[in-house]
Amino acid sequence: MEAEESPAGAVRSTGPDRRKQGGVEDSGSCNGVLPGTELIETGSNQAAGRGDHSGPGSRGATGIRVLKRNMKRNGSRGCVTRKTRFGSRERDWLKGDAQRGCVCLYGAAEPQPPSSGPQTSSTSQPDLRLVLCSTSTTVEELCAQGDSQGLYVQLHGDLLRRLDPSERPLQMVYDYLTAMGYEDPLRIQKEAANSDLSCIIRFYSEKPLNADQLERTVLKGVFSVRKGKTQLHKWAERQVILCGTCLIVASVKDSLTGKMHILPLVGGKVEEVKRRQHCLMFSSAGPQAQTYYVNFDTLADYQRWHRQASKVVSQTVSLVDLSCYSLEEVPECLFYSQDVTHLNLRHNFMRLEGAGGLRNLNRFSQLKSLNLSHNRLGSFPESICEILTLTELNLSCNGIHSVPSQIANLQSLQTLSLDGNHLSSLPEELGGLAQLSSLGLSFNDLPHIPTVLDRLSGVDRLAMAGNKVETLELGILGRMTHLKNIDLRLNGLRWVHSEGLEAVKQVTHLDLRDNRLASLDLSSACSLETLHCERNRLGVLTLSGFTLRTLYASSNRLTTVNIYPVPNQLTHMDLSRNLLEYLPDWVCDTRKIEVLEVTHNLLSELPGRLFSSLSLRKLLAGNNRLQRLPDLLDHIPLEALDLQHNKLCELPESLFCKALNLRYLNVSANSLESIPSSSQSEESLSTLQELYLTGNNLSEHCAALLVGHQNLRVLHMAYNQLQSFPASKLSKLELLEELNLSGNKLKAIPSTVSSCKRLHTLTAHSNHISVFPEVLNLPEIKLVDLSCNELTEILLPDSLPPTLQELDLTGNSSLMLEHKTLNLFSHITTLKLDQKPAVTATGDSLGSSTLWNHGYTEMSGQRNKLCVSVLAVDHFGDSMEAAYGIFDGDRNEEVPRLLQCTMGDVLSEELQHSSVDTVYMSNTFLTSHRKLGVAGQKLGASALLCYIHHEPSDAAGYFSLTLANVGTCQAVLCRDGQPLPLSKVFSLEQSAEETERVKRCKAIITEDNKVSGVTWSSRLLGCSYLSPGVIPKPWVRTEPLCTQDEFLILGNRALFERVSYQEAVCTVQAVRDPRAAAKRLCTLAQSYGCRDNVGAVVVSLHIGEDSCTCDPPLAPPEGRGAPAPAPIPISVPLGDPATPSSSSGIASEFSSEMSASEVGSEAGSTASDENPSSGLASRPERRCSLHPAVTLCGTGPGGPGPVGTLPGLFQRQPSSATFSSNQSDNGLDSDDEVPLEGVISNGSKLEVEVDIHCCAFQIRSGAPEAPDDLRHDHRGSDHHSGGGGLAAKIRRQNSVVVSATNGCLLAVCGREISDLKKSPSTSSLFGKKLSNGSVVALEDSHNLIEVALEAPKKKSGYFSAPAQQDPEDQLVVPACLERDVREQLRSQNAVVPGPPPLSTPPATRDPDWDHPHPPQLPRQDLAAPASLQQEVYDTAL
């Protein structure tokens, strides 16, 4: 609806239909006006506007238009639903200049009840004005137009800052979007007008009130007060204030004039008075304690005052914490608290002037500690130098360029923090602070160590990380005899010079990490105890060993390490990831070495004397070239030994006999054929608890040798040559908790596994197991993975253990599960089952793409929740394209789930606007970042997205792969048997370029290499509060695919930290099935020591000369972004063979009395998209790269578009773990995670190894007769019983909506055409919010999590379908009457004509990746009647 002009200016909408409208009319347009907005157009010449305009509603020289309505939210506090559009004049005005745009001005919200956080946004409905302006429009001009006193800006839902009159709001938005990664000015203009951006940057015309902030800063009111404990004093009405550390009672009612009674509360008491209702007694501390009784009017006041006063009296020091309150000045009544010694004003916007400004802080006579960090001061406030009592001052991250000479007045100062500023020098007056002992100068612009430090004799620690020191003179450090601890990380340091032989005797700790040093000689630092020099370019390292205790020198190029004399005090040494071919002799001579880490070197042997050390407790020597270990002659105290990824053929026979303290042993990825015995006698003294033997050549005879390790808790023997596991031996391992026997040749798990009462994890995928093991009787069992086996049935006990959380039965093609069995699994959080493949009329399976197919795995490891999600769509757009992604939230699962559900939709939309790879991929990431809403303010995730497509400029060519990523998710392509890395790792430890960018943003990088102590990644989706240090702009790369490309591997950080690119490629080459290959990758990572979430996607590529996938011509190929015709709808008759059998969990779910949205909500996640939904739906002609279609006149120049006939639609995957509102814990794991209600009746979900969520449904109001070739029955009785419920529905409805989704037929029936213009999930969820507070814009791309939340609850089990017929009650048709019954049913069923199937499957290129590929359906020119209206819509299933 276009806004109408009105002379009065304000046009209000009073119609109820506008307030109740539930859709999004223009989801992709930048011109959406928020409901309840006031539209003000402000020209570039604002001076004239201010002089001529009498008010915001009048029209003057600049032409003001006002449209004001009540705002309606969609239920989430950060996002507003758009329901109208700009008028044509406004759109023309925006198109005239890219520097024009609109600013959303929110009104002040009313105070809300206190909440858990200090800065929670209000959930009220403030007025909203849309102001059309330009980038040159200032705050002063906007205030003049809107009659407001000032404007405030709020970034990522955090603090509120008052804007200066000269600041330009629209330019601020444009700058912010540019910093995010947007480049096109028109796209920036469009994004700036998007209402979803308010979750990232928002402007207020008044400062919103926050009840929690008011409570924690000042509490006041008029209450009945009595002084003293005796009855001599009378009750009187007085003004009472609780502020800071004191209770203030006025002597006059309703007035702060006259005498004020001050009661210090620190160390005092606050108690409830039981004989009076809502009464508290406040008492001060000390022998002269005073007491006041305050009687409150309401219970809410009583609780609020009691809560706040209790915090004050519990303090041991007089501390006032006013951090993160958007304060411009402290409350004036705070100055009554003259006992305040510590004042925390961090993360505010303090000003110099004002009654509570910085100039008046010297009124605190006892103030010792003052924290003013992150206040955007811009300069050092000289008034602070007048607070002579200060001993601690923090002015970090304030943009300060210089320190005034008045700093010399603070003679009591002991700690001064100036980190994160722009200091390039220090004043000489600073040297006069004799008591200064700590000086923080990190992340400034200092080019050298300041000479003023010579005079600061009390400073023993020099913190100068992140500066610009390129040369370090050891002689200068030698003259500063007071410096002991020196931090010079991240300085770009190139040289360390030593002048002469002068010793540096005082330095004990030196940190030189992440610099550019090629060599380092610190032999003159004779007192050095700890040295950090990781991630340099060191080839040679020379040190003094007199006092050396710890040495960290990993990730260099060291070939030798010289230490003299022998470091007899050395206890910990890390030389991993270097080029060492041998260990220096002095390593064996040191007497106190406890931890030695030499992984990822070139060591071919370890000295025998090393294993004679009486101090060594932990030896990590994996990823070397070791062929044998020396024999152990004496007992050693070794507790942990890691020898994975070597060339060991055997272990010393005396290993377990001599290393009696050994608790951890990892010898995975070697060539072992046997393991030593646990003891030479019958009695074993082994204390081994964790044993990893994955990836060797061990047989079942080795399993018998494990019986002596009776303390064993974790046993990994995956990918060996085990054909069986001795039953009698397994029963001896009674303490076993985790058992992994995957990738062997086992036919059964011994029944004696029931003796392992503590077993909680059994992983035995990729074997030949046909009988389900007896593990469901174990009391602590949590995870059972028996995927990729040969199971045929499951024998279940009467009841399952309540601890069971995950059961994976995928890849068992012969497994048939009854309804009773599935109902027993109803309490399981994650149940993974195969979908039975759909078949055509000839009985052939309807399989996956002939060009690519995929498999993936997500494993939680030892974490309590799964924070990795995968997006996998084999048929994206017109099915000649594919999209794959992986998202890793580290310790939050909410953001990965949101990205999994929305990023494919966003990519589909962006492809309609641009065909340039860097543009549409970057915009996909940036738009997904915006769509995270409130969830993306504090939480984030690494993301990687791959898009396989034809090049728009060369539609006749081969396919290309466009990849984009942020964070630490990675992708590698196997080309001609070799790994080709495609992604870029945005980690501070691996990207010097990103480190420099973060330093320029003045973000603090902590010692563990995290931005602001939060994340290792410099680019993430989400975590917008870390901007500009962390941004969402992705790395984009396009790689043309060729016949030598075999497969693609996607993985998260945990996978590639443990599995190298080369090993990953070799691993996948050895496995035929992509799903089994993904399983193997994750299992290897866990066996190599990964305890975190791990995820992997393997995409098999079949792009070869014999991969022709042409279809008979039906329609010309659509250009990218071109409008597409509606597909021809089809229907399925009774007993259609594509209906899954009732014995599978899917068919029974569809045959129950449930709507399609219910089905989608129940199937809480999926693992693949192996079967195409395109087989039963009509598409444009599909042409392969070998036989391209001729471009017809009128076709878009971009070639065959990625969206095909359904632009903006794709098949989307929901979570593969239970959606939970309280599992996003900002980095904390918890065991009390509760699933969201509504996903299923008891919080469980069914995971299906196919995509069954979001497809294009074909709608029509009538149904003509079906052709004779579609009127057939299937031969199997299972399909009759499974399809009965579905067929009954088809008969009962007038209009039928049928979609083939990976071989599953889903039906949505009996809806009006007008109601189907929007997605069902959108129409049902409008105006509602997630219980976890996440915001995803309710546009055409809807949030499947919201669909799950709205799913109706069922009373019991997965498949409690009241209308489901029992098989015994179904009608039995005699053979002689079968034909007549079919004719009767045919006459009752109106069937839409559909294409008949083919029977010839296309060939594939690579026999190693060959799978049964079902036939494709031919295209037929089916002309639909003109009277039948067709609609296309999305549904979330």
Side-chain angles (χ1 to χ4, degrees):
M1 174 181 177
E2 295 186 2
E4 298 180 0
E5 295 190 31
S6 172
V11 180
R12 297 183 179 273
S13 174
T14 59
D17 57 336
R18 180 162 302 281
R19 291 191 299 270
K20 297 180 181 179
Q21 184 176 356
V24 179
E25 295 184 4
D26 189 13
S27 61
S29 173
C30 68
N31 300 325
V33 178
L34 304 175
T37 62
E38 183 178 355
L39 188 63
I40 299 178
E41 183 176 343
T42 304
S44 58
N45 184 7
Q46 298 298 322
R50 290 195 306 273
D52 298 337
H53 291 223
S54 59
S58 60
R59 301 183 59 187
T62 55
I64 299 177
R65 299 182 60 184
V66 179
L67 177 61
K68 189 171 183 181
R69 297 186 181 94
N70 293 326
M71 187 182 71
K72 181 176 181 180
R73 292 178 173 270
N74 68 350
S76 191
R77 65 174 181 262
C79 199
V80 182
T81 304
R82 292 167 291 165
K83 297 190 299 185
T84 59
R85 303 177 181 177
F86 282 143
S88 58
R89 294 185 180 181
E90 286 76 12
R91 289 196 295 268
D92 294 341
W93 187 79
L94 285 179
K95 293 178 181 178
D97 187 356
Q99 299 303 311
R100 297 175 180 176
C102 73
V103 173
C104 300
L105 295 183
Y106 290 80
E110 297 179 0
Q112 296 295 313
S115 55
S116 58
Q119 280 294 326
T120 54
S121 300
S122 173
T123 58
S124 63
Q125 299 183 3
D127 291 333
L128 178 61
R129 294 184 299 148
L130 283 183
V131 181
L132 299 180
C133 59
S134 68
T135 55
S136 60
T137 305
T138 64
V139 171
E140 182 180 5
E141 294 166 348
L142 290 177
C143 291
Q145 295 285 356
D147 290 339
S148 58
Q149 300 299 319
L151 297 185
Y152 296 82
V153 63
Q154 183 183 42
L155 296 179
H156 35 76
D158 203 354
L159 305 179
L160 285 152
R161 178 177 68 88
R162 183 197 298 269
L163 295 176
D164 292 333
S166 60
E167 292 189 80
R168 297 172 293 168
L170 187 60
Q171 185 64 50
M172 292 174 60
V173 177
Y174 282 14
D175 292 343
Y176 190 96
L177 293 173
T178 302
M180 278 178 56
Y182 287 107
E183 297 178 355
D184 182 20
L186 294 179
R187 183 58 186 260
I188 292 176
Q189 182 189 54
K190 174 181 177 180
E191 290 295 321
N194 197 308
S195 63
D196 295 345
L197 198 65
S198 62
C199 294
I200 299 178
I201 181 169
R202 175 181 291 197
F203 295 95
Y204 288 90
S205 58
E206 300 177 55
K207 186 174 183 180
L209 302 177
N210 187 289
D212 182 71
Q213 173 181 337
L214 296 176
E215 174 187 335
R216 294 184 58 183
T217 53
V218 178
L219 285 177
K220 58 183 176 180
V222 178
F223 307 109
S224 297
V225 180
R226 193 189 76 189
K227 182 180 180 181
K229 296 183 179 181
T230 65
Q231 300 294 332
L232 299 178
H233 298 86
K234 297 181 180 180
W235 292 88
E237 296 286 333
R238 292 289 182 268
Q239 178 92 359
V240 184
I241 302 173
L242 178 60
C243 183
T245 60
C246 296
L247 183 72
I248 307 167
V249 181
S251 58
V252 182
K253 179 182 178 181
D254 294 334
S255 176
L256 294 179
T257 59
K259 183 178 180 181
M260 306 296 294
H261 300 275
I262 311 299
L263 183 68
L265 294 179
V266 176
K269 294 186 299 182
V270 55
E271 297 176 351
E272 177 185 2
V273 180
K274 296 183 179 180
R275 61 179 180 271
R276 292 184 66 95
Q277 188 178 18
H278 306 156
C279 185
L280 290 176
M281 181 189 71
F282 298 87
S283 300
S284 60
Q288 304 295 328
Q290 293 182 335
T291 301
Y292 279 89
Y293 291 87
V294 180
N295 201 90
F296 299 95
D297 300 330
T298 65
L299 177 62
D301 286 336
Y302 165 82
Q303 292 175 338
R304 190 177 300 116
W305 283 69
H306 192 193
R307 180 170 56 248
Q308 187 62 22
S310 298
K311 296 178 182 178
V312 178
V313 299
S314 63
Q315 295 178 176
T316 56
V317 295
S318 297
L319 169 65
V320 176
D321 186 358
L322 297 177
S323 59
C324 304
Y325 280 139
S326 305
L327 297 177
E328 296 181 1
E329 57 184 38
V330 299
E332 189 173 358
C333 54
L334 183 63
F335 291 107
Y336 287 109
S337 302
Q338 283 300 305
D339 61 335
V340 172
T341 58
H342 295 72
L343 181 59
N344 185 2
L345 296 173
R346 180 178 59 93
H347 278 289
N348 285 291
F349 303 102
M350 296 297 298
R351 297 174 178 266
L352 289 175
E353 307 300 333
L358 297 180
R359 293 190 185 278
N360 291 322
L361 291 185
N362 56 4
R363 293 171 58 183
F364 293 108
S365 58
Q366 302 182 37
L367 190 61
K368 296 182 179 180
S369 175
L370 177 60
N371 189 343
L372 287 172
S373 62
H374 297 87
N375 267 268
R376 293 176 57 97
L377 297 177
S379 60
F380 196 110
E382 298 181 6
S383 58
I384 300 298
C385 299
E386 300 174 6
I387 310 176
L388 304 182
T389 56
L390 280 181
T391 61
E392 181 180 356
L393 177 60
N394 190 338
L395 291 171
S396 301
C397 302
N398 276 294
I400 298 174
H401 290 79
S402 62
V403 178
S405 58
Q406 290 87 339
I407 190 70
N409 298 338
L410 302 178
Q411 289 298 313
S412 301
L413 200 62
Q414 300 175 10
T415 301
L416 177 60
S417 298
L418 297 171
D419 307 286
N421 286 292
H422 300 281
L423 299 176
S424 57
S425 62
L426 294 178
E428 290 298 324
E429 289 80 3
L430 189 64
L433 303 181
Q435 299 188 37
L436 193 65
S437 59
S438 177
L439 179 61
L441 299 173
S442 298
F443 299 97
N444 279 281
D445 299 328
L446 297 169
H448 51 76
I449 298 177
T451 56
V452 70
L453 289 173
D454 288 339
R455 299 166 53 194
L456 296 174
S457 58
V459 176
D460 60 353
R461 185 176 188 273
L462 175 62
M464 285 188 58
N467 279 275
K468 299 180 179 180
V469 180
E470 295 189 356
T471 303
L472 174 62
E473 297 289 345
L474 293 179
I476 296 179
L477 295 180
R479 291 191 292 271
M480 300 178 183
T481 57
H482 48 86
L483 293 178
K484 296 181 179 180
N485 191 329
I486 298 176
D487 182 3
L488 291 174
R489 297 175 294 121
L490 300 162
N491 266 276
L493 198 63
R494 296 177 180 272
W495 300 280
V496 176
H497 295 307
S498 178
E499 299 177 357
L501 300 177
E502 183 179 356
V504 182
K505 300 180 180 180
Q506 80 283 358
V507 177
T508 59
H509 294 76
L510 182 60
D511 194 341
L512 301 176
R513 281 177 286 180
D514 299 286
N515 283 292
R516 303 176 184 176
L517 295 171
S519 63
L520 184 60
D521 185 352
L522 295 176
S523 56
S524 59
C526 55
S527 300
L528 191 63
E529 298 179 5
T530 300
L531 173 64
H532 285 274
C533 57
E534 302 100 303
R535 294 178 294 278
N536 278 277
R537 305 170 183 174
L538 296 175
V540 179
L541 178 61
T542 304
L543 302 173
S544 171
F546 285 106
T547 58
L548 190 64
R549 296 180 182 272
T550 54
L551 172 60
Y552 302 91
S554 62
S555 301
N556 282 285
R557 304 169 185 173
L558 291 173
T559 57
T560 183
V561 178
N562 301 316
I563 301 182
Y564 182 83
V566 174
N568 287 323
Q569 304 298 320
L570 186 66
T571 59
H572 189 123
M573 182 168 66
D574 182 3
L575 298 176
S576 59
R577 300 186 182 277
N578 280 288
L579 302 176
L580 296 174
E581 297 182 0
Y582 61 90
L583 282 182
D585 293 336
W586 56 263
V587 175
C588 302
D589 296 330
T590 185
R591 301 175 183 176
K592 296 184 179 181
I593 185 71
E594 296 181 0
V595 179
L596 176 60
E597 185 171 357
V598 289
T599 60
H600 293 89
N601 277 282
L602 306 176
L603 301 175
S604 57
E605 63 177 357
L606 294 176
R609 290 191 300 156
L610 183 64
F611 287 90
S612 301
S613 172
L614 299 180
S615 60
L616 188 63
R617 285 176 167 77
K618 186 176 183 180
L619 175 60
L620 307 179
N623 295 91
N624 281 283
R625 302 174 179 177
L626 302 177
Q627 298 182 3
R628 62 178 301 274
L629 292 181
D631 294 330
L632 276 66
L633 303 178
D634 300 316
H635 291 280
I636 57 175
L638 195 65
E639 297 177 0
L641 178 61
D642 190 341
L643 298 170
Q644 60 178 291
H645 286 91
N646 281 286
K647 301 178 180 180
L648 298 174
C649 296
E650 61 179 0
L651 295 175
E653 287 295 330
S654 59
L655 176 62
F656 297 122
C657 302
K658 299 298 183 180
L660 296 178
N661 293 333
L662 192 63
R663 291 179 172 84
Y664 174 93
L665 175 62
N666 194 332
V667 287
S668 299
N670 280 283
S671 302
L672 297 177
E673 297 182 356
S674 64
I675 59 175
S677 175
S678 60
S679 175
Q680 296 177 351
S681 59
E682 295 183 358
E683 182 178 0
S684 174
L685 300 177
S686 172
T687 59
L688 190 65
Q689 297 181 3
E690 298 183 45
L691 178 59
Y692 298 88
L693 300 170
T694 296
N696 285 284
N697 299 317
L698 302 176
S699 64
E700 57 271 14
H701 303 292
C702 299
L705 300 176
L706 300 174
V707 67
H709 303 293
Q710 298 185 2
N711 295 310
L712 204 60
R713 294 188 299 105
V714 178
L715 175 60
H716 282 223
M717 296 187 69
Y719 299 100
N720 281 282
Q721 304 298 322
L722 300 180
Q723 296 185 0
S724 64
F725 199 102
S728 60
K729 307 303 180 183
L730 184 59
S731 63
K732 302 294 184 181
L733 304 177
E734 297 180 354
L735 301 182
L736 197 63
E737 298 177 4
E738 180 179 337
L739 177 62
N740 194 326
L741 299 175
S742 303
N744 286 285
K745 302 176 182 179
L746 299 176
K747 296 183 179 180
I749 301 293
S751 60
T752 52
V753 70
S754 58
S755 302
C756 306
K757 299 298 183 181
R758 296 188 180 181
L759 189 70
H760 59 70
T761 300
L762 173 63
T763 306
H765 63 78
S766 306
N767 280 285
H768 304 292
I769 299 174
S770 58
V771 179
F772 194 87
E774 301 178 11
V775 294
L776 298 183
N777 291 318
L778 298 176
E780 299 183 14
I781 191 70
K782 293 182 180 180
L783 185 149
V784 179
D785 186 353
L786 291 172
S787 58
C788 303
N789 277 287
E790 300 173 4
L791 293 175
T792 57
E793 61 179 353
I794 299 179
L795 299 178
L796 298 176
D798 295 335
S799 62
L800 296 180
T803 56
L804 185 61
Q805 298 177 3
E806 181 174 344
L807 177 60
D808 191 346
L809 300 175
T810 57
N812 291 277
S813 57
S814 302
L815 181 62
M816 310 292 285
L817 297 180
E818 300 294 337
H819 284 225
K820 179 181 178 181
T821 301
L822 291 169
N823 280 326
L824 282 176
F825 290 147
S826 59
H827 75 278
I828 302 177
T829 304
T830 304
L831 174 61
K832 301 180 181 180
L833 297 175
D834 269 335
Q835 177 197 7
K836 300 306 175 186
V839 293
T840 64
T842 60
D844 297 324
S845 296
L846 184 62
S848 57
S849 170
T850 60
L851 294 176
W852 44 72
N853 61 311
H854 76 277
Y856 78 85
T857 300
E858 302 162 340
M859 295 184 179
S860 59
Q862 298 186 10
R863 296 271 298 279
N864 294 324
K865 58 186 179 182
L866 183 65
C867 301
V868 177
S869 294
V870 166
L871 171 69
V873 186
D874 284 334
H875 300 280
F876 186 83
D878 64 355
S879 86
M880 289 300 291
E881 300 170 347
Y884 304 99
I886 186 169
F887 315 105
D888 185 358
D890 191 21
R891 294 189 177 274
N892 85 87
E893 64 176 359
E894 185 174 4
V895 171
R897 299 292 178 260
L898 293 175
L899 294 174
Q900 178 194 46
C901 295
T902 59
M903 187 167 261
D905 275 342
V906 177
L907 174 60
S908 184
E909 294 171 3
E910 293 297 336
L911 287 170
Q912 302 180 47
H913 300 129
S914 176
S915 60
V916 181
D917 52 1
T918 56
V919 174
Y920 64 73
M921 270 302 200
S922 294
N923 290 345
T924 295
F925 273 64
L926 299 178
T927 304
S928 299
H929 173 78
R930 168 174 56 79
K931 285 179 175 288
L932 290 175
V934 173
Q937 292 174 351
K938 303 298 181 183
L939 305 176
S942 298
L944 184 144
L945 185 64
C946 294
Y947 172 48
I948 302 177
H949 59 98
H950 279 296
E951 282 295 335
S953 59
D954 185 16
Y958 283 107
F959 291 92
S960 293
L961 187 151
T962 298
L963 174 143
N965 79 286
V966 294
T968 54
C969 292
Q970 302 169 56
V972 57
L973 178 67
C974 176
R975 173 167 292 174
D976 202 16
Q978 298 299 317
L980 175 63
L982 300 177
S983 54
K984 181 177 181 179
V985 181
F986 288 102
S987 171
L988 296 183
E989 294 184 353
Q990 302 185 38
S991 177
E993 178 184 354
E994 283 297 292
T995 301
E996 289 300 318
R997 184 188 63 80
V998 174
K999 285 172 56 179
R1000 289 194 298 269
C1001 297
K1002 295 303 174 183
I1004 300 298
I1005 302 176
T1006 52
E1007 292 187 359
D1008 54 357
N1009 256 359
K1010 292 184 177 182
V1011 180
S1012 300
V1014 176
T1015 175
W1016 291 288
S1017 301
S1018 59
R1019 302 196 184 193
L1020 292 173
L1021 295 185
C1023 282
S1024 57
Y1025 79 107
L1026 297 177
S1027 176
V1030 176
I1031 59 176
K1033 184 178 181 179
W1035 156 270
V1036 181
R1037 172 175 176 175
T1038 296
E1039 184 70 25
L1041 297 179
C1042 59
T1043 57
Q1044 287 77 30
D1045 295 330
E1046 301 177 33
F1047 51 83
L1048 175 69
I1049 304 175
L1050 315 182
N1052 68 332
R1053 173 186 56 86
L1055 176 67
F1056 288 111
E1057 275 185 352
R1058 301 291 178 175
V1059 182
S1060 66
Y1061 290 152
Q1062 186 64 55
E1063 183 180 6
V1065 166
C1066 295
T1067 298
V1068 177
Q1069 284 178 326
V1071 184
R1072 295 168 60 91
D1073 182 15
R1075 175 170 52 192
K1079 284 273 186 184
R1080 182 167 185 172
L1081 287 173
C1082 294
T1083 299
L1084 291 180
Q1086 291 184 335
S1087 294
Y1088 298 161
C1090 175
R1091 301 176 184 270
D1092 210 337
N1093 292 167
V1094 59
V1097 184
V1098 176
V1099 182
S1100 172
L1101 302 174
H1102 314 286
I1103 302 176
E1105 292 298 329
D1106 56 348
S1107 297
C1108 177
T1109 57
C1110 295
D1111 285 336
L1114 179 66
E1118 293 293 333
R1120 174 165 292 150
I1128 301 175
I1130 65 171
S1131 183
V1132 179
L1134 177 64
D1136 188 277
T1139 305
S1141 67
S1142 62
S1143 60
S1144 70
I1146 307 305
S1148 56
E1149 192 167 12
F1150 296 146
S1151 61
S1152 62
E1153 283 291 333
M1154 292 162 43
S1155 68
S1157 60
E1158 288 177 289
V1159 174
S1161 301
E1162 301 255 89
S1165 78
T1166 188
S1168 73
D1169 186 9
E1170 296 178 0
N1171 299 323
S1173 62
S1174 58
L1176 299 177
S1178 177
R1179 298 177 181 273
E1181 179 187 6
R1182 185 176 64 193
R1183 308 295 292 176
C1184 71
S1185 57
L1186 302 175
H1187 309 95
V1190 179
T1191 303
L1192 301 179
C1193 185
T1195 305
V1203 189
T1205 63
L1206 299 176
L1209 306 185
F1210 86 115
Q1211 296 176 346
R1212 200 169 31 181
Q1213 293 183 329
S1215 166
S1216 51
T1218 302
F1219 297 120
S1220 175
S1221 61
N1222 58 357
Q1223 289 178 349
S1224 295
D1225 48 12
N1226 283 327
L1228 300 178
D1229 283 342
S1230 60
D1231 292 319
D1232 55 347
E1233 301 171 34
V1234 181
L1236 289 180
E1237 294 183 3
V1239 177
I1240 210 164
S1241 61
N1242 52 6
S1244 302
K1245 68 174 173 51
L1246 173 66
E1247 176 155 337
V1248 186
E1249 285 291 323
V1250 290
D1251 219 335
I1252 59 170
H1253 334 305
C1254 185
C1255 297
F1257 280 90
Q1258 290 77 31
I1259 314 304
R1260 59 174 301 160
S1261 57
E1265 282 290 318
D1268 292 337
D1269 55 2
L1270 283 182
R1271 296 171 183 161
H1272 57 74
D1273 259 8
H1274 189 59
R1275 296 185 295 269
S1277 60
D1278 286 345
H1279 295 282
H1280 281 287
S1281 61
L1286 177 60
K1289 284 188 177 184
I1290 294 176
R1291 291 195 299 269
R1292 286 194 298 268
Q1293 304 300 334
N1294 294 327
S1295 59
V1296 182
V1297 183
V1298 178
S1299 175
T1301 311
N1302 297 310
C1304 283
L1305 293 181
L1306 313 181
V1308 181
C1309 308
R1311 295 183 182 270
E1312 296 294 331
I1313 295 299
S1314 59
D1315 295 333
L1316 294 175
K1317 291 183 179 180
K1318 303 187 183 72
S1319 166
S1321 59
T1322 303
S1323 60
S1324 64
L1325 291 172
F1326 180 77
K1328 299 183 180 181
K1329 64 177 180 180
L1330 300 178
S1331 60
N1332 53 20
S1334 298
V1335 174
V1336 177
L1338 286 177
E1339 301 179 359
D1340 289 342
S1341 55
H1342 20 271
N1343 191 343
L1344 291 182
I1345 297 181
E1346 300 186 16
V1347 179
L1349 287 175
E1350 296 301 318
K1353 302 178 183 178
K1354 295 193 295 180
K1355 295 182 179 180
S1356 63
Y1358 283 104
F1359 311 106
S1360 58
Q1364 173 75 24
Q1365 281 187 330
D1366 189 272
E1368 297 179 359
D1369 298 333
Q1370 294 182 1
L1371 179 63
V1372 178
V1373 181
C1376 59
L1377 300 178
E1378 184 176 357
R1379 184 177 185 87
D1380 295 335
V1381 172
R1382 289 185 183 178
E1383 293 294 333
Q1384 292 293 330
L1385 291 177
R1386 231 182 256 122
S1387 64
Q1388 298 177 18
N1389 263 328
V1391 182
V1392 183
L1398 271 183
S1399 59
T1400 306
T1404 57
R1405 178 184 60 83
D1406 192 347
D1408 292 339
W1409 291 87
D1410 192 16
H1411 297 287
H1413 292 282
Q1416 303 294 321
L1417 297 180
R1419 308 299 176 194
Q1420 294 185 358
D1421 294 315
L1422 301 177
S1427 61
L1428 299 179
Q1429 182 181 5
Q1430 298 180 0
E1431 299 285 340
V1432 180
Y1433 76 105
D1434 285 347
T1435 185
L1437 295 176

